[in-house]
């Protein structure tokens, strides 16, 4: 009787955990579908294919990703905050606009290097080259390859937030990424970002740590600038 009771309790616990994970997987899947765009090219032989995916790291997608990991790993609140801190730092969200690009190339070998001339972000009527990207994109390949591409969030001259007041942005990949199957056509992915608010992510302990990091960097820059000015004055 006791063994049966224990077995029933364990079964109930497993079912509860499964239902919790399933419930939290649903929002993530919805966010993934909303923020991931896909384009599939098929060759004239109807066999060769090139699939390209691009995921825009909107605030709600990031939140869903963090929650999914926390629930899957049964993290404490502190462990969740630690992961959030590391995740946001890796994305450089306070300075950059990150986009994940995935290729599944079952066609001709792709030569994407230098990749920064193959991809650009269109904001309004202007386009921007990547500030940084996964350098593995520079090497020829067939099969699967994925990596992050970063675009600057602020205008270099004015410091203005490039996305302020913008309703949508587009990622554009040159038709030369694989001309044999794209026929030289530009591949474009567009996202509606009118309601995206990255500032929602900067709450809690992780946000405090990130803000502290920002202040430290700013102080270091001010010290460096001051030292350079003093050196210039000393040389006069």
């Amino acid at each position: 009787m006791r063994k049966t009771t224990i077995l029933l309790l364990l079964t109930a616990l497993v079912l509860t955990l499964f239902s919790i994970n399933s419930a939290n997987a649903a929002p993530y899947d919805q966010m993934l579908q909303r923020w991931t765009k896909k384009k599939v090219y098929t060759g004239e032989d109807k066999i060769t294919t090139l699939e390209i995916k691009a995921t825009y790291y909107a605030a709600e997608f990031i939140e869903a990703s963090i929650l999914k990991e926390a629930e899957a790993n049964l993290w404490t609140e502190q462990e969740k905050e630690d992961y959030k801190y590391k995740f946001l730092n890796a994305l450089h969200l306070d300075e950059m606009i990150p986009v994940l690009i995935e290729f599944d190339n079952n066609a001709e070998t792709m030569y994407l290097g230098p990749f920064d001339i193959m991809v650009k972000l269109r904001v309004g009527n202007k386009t921007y080259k990547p500030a940084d990207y996964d350098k593995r994109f520079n090497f020829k390949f067939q099969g699967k390859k994925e990596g992050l591409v970063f675009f600057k969030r602020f205008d270099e001259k004015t410091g203005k937030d490039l996305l302020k007041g913008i309703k949508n942005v587009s990622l554009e990949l040159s038709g030369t990424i694989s001309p044999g199957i794209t026929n030289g056509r530009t591949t474009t992915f567009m996202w509606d970002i009118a309601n995206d608010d990255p500032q929602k992510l900067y709450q809690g302990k992780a946000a405090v740590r990130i803000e502290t990091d920002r202040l430290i960097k700013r102080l270091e820059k001010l010290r460096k600038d001051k030292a350079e000015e003093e050196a210039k004055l000393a040389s006069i």
Side-chain angles (χ1 to χ4, degrees), residues 72-155:
N73 294 287
L74 300 178
W75 284 337
T76 63
E77 189 62 29
Q78 183 59 53
E79 288 172 326
K80 178 183 172 183
E81 287 293 323
D82 287 342
Y83 177 77
K84 179 179 180 179
Y85 170 76
K86 293 174 182 177
F87 194 18
L88 293 180
N89 269 339
L91 291 175
H92 306 293
L93 205 64
D94 56 331
E95 299 177 349
M96 300 289 177
I97 302 167
V99 179
L100 177 67
I101 301 179
E102 302 171 73
F103 294 100
D104 189 355
N105 176 31
N106 296 305
E108 61 187 324
T109 299
M110 296 178 71
Y111 298 85
L112 302 181
F115 191 61
D116 60 349
I117 67 171
M118 296 289 186
V119 61
K120 56 188 176 183
L121 189 72
R122 183 173 295 277
V123 181
N125 59 359
K126 293 184 178 180
T127 59
Y128 300 88
K129 291 179 61 176
D132 195 12
Y133 62 92
D134 192 323
K135 298 304 186 291
R136 291 176 298 175
F137 283 137
N138 287 334
F139 300 98
K140 65 179 182 179
F141 72 96
Q142 284 184 307
K144 295 183 178 182
K145 184 169 286 190
E146 66 176 47
L148 284 166
V149 181
F150 297 92
F151 299 90
K152 288 189 177 180
R153 185 174 290 273
F154 300 95
D155 186 275

Side-chain angles (χ1 to χ4, degrees), residues 8-72:
L8 288 172
L9 287 172
L10 288 173
T11 303
L13 177 61
V14 170
L15 289 174
T16 300
L17 290 173
F18 177 77
S19 80
I20 289 173
N21 287 333
S22 298
N24 285 291
Y28 172 78
D29 291 340
Q30 291 171 5
M31 293 302 103
L32 184 64
Q33 185 175 9
R34 178 179 299 175
W35 294 102
T36 297
K37 307 297 182 182
K38 182 173 75 171
K39 174 69 177 179
V40 179
Y41 291 99
T42 303
E44 293 182 358
D45 59 6
K46 306 301 181 183
I47 298 174
T48 54
T49 60
L50 171 61
E51 179 180 287
I52 310 171
K53 292 181 182 178
T55 302
Y56 183 91
Y57 277 86
E60 61 179 9
F61 174 66
I62 294 171
E63 286 179 336
S65 300
I66 294 170
L67 180 60
K68 179 176 179 289
E69 288 297 318
E71 294 294 343

